[in-house]
Amino acid sequence: QVQLVESGGDLVQSGESLRLSCAASGFTLDNYAIGWFRQAPGKEREGVSCISRGDDSTYYADSVKGRFAISRDNAKKTVYLQMNNLKPEDTAVYYCAADSLLLRICDQPTVAIEYWGQGAQVTVSS
């Protein structure tokens, strides 16, 4: 059974850092397109950062470029999102996602993506 479990969400002040983790089970991480999405209250879920299946190319939303970094440890079956210089507008529920068929997922409709974690709340106070 495929499962994704996020951790690391917290309440932080503007300018601080957080690292989110996504522990995967039931599948081999390096055979999947993986990534992080977020959803703020009243807004649609958006792709934040992703790693493509096959060439491991990375994608970052313009709003997080230079501040966030995605990585994965295949041996630990874990995907990370290092978030630096956090801003109040980064406040959202962050979701880990994975797909075995799509090459990349950040630019795909969320309904097309196979697997999702339960989400981790990140709150950034000003």
Side-chain angles (χ1 to χ4, degrees):
Q1 181 180 358
V2 172
Q3 192 172 18
L4 299 169
V5 179
E6 300 96 334
S7 61
D10 205 346
L11 168 63
V12 297
Q13 293 189 339
S14 183
E16 294 185 338
S17 299
L18 272 179
R19 188 177 78 161
L20 300 180
S21 299
C22 172
S25 60
F27 67 100
T28 303
L29 199 58
D30 53 349
N31 291 337
Y32 280 64
I34 55 174
W36 290 92
F37 290 70
R38 67 185 181 187
Q39 188 165 18
K43 295 188 177 181
E44 293 187 355
R45 194 171 298 188
E46 62 172 352
V48 175
S49 182
C50 293
I51 299 177
S52 295
R53 183 170 62 87
D55 65 4
D56 287 352
S57 58
T58 55
Y59 162 89
Y60 294 95
D62 288 342
S63 58
V64 306
K65 281 181 182 177
R67 300 188 297 122
F68 289 14
I70 189 172
S71 62
R72 71 179 179 201
D73 185 328
N74 290 335
K76 293 183 178 180
K77 301 182 76 173
T78 302
V79 183
Y80 303 99
L81 184 67
Q82 178 66 43
M83 305 184 292
N84 299 324
N85 189 23
L86 283 160
K87 304 176 181 181
E89 51 263 42
D90 295 317
T91 295
V93 178
Y94 284 71
Y95 297 90
C96 180
D99 196 283
S100 63
L101 297 179
L102 297 171
L103 292 179
R104 59 182 184 270
I105 59 174
C106 267
D107 58 353
Q108 298 296 318
T110 56
V111 294
I113 299 169
E114 285 182 286
Y115 304 110
W116 292 90
Q118 83 288 352
Q121 177 69 48
V122 173
T123 303
V124 185
S125 63
S126 57

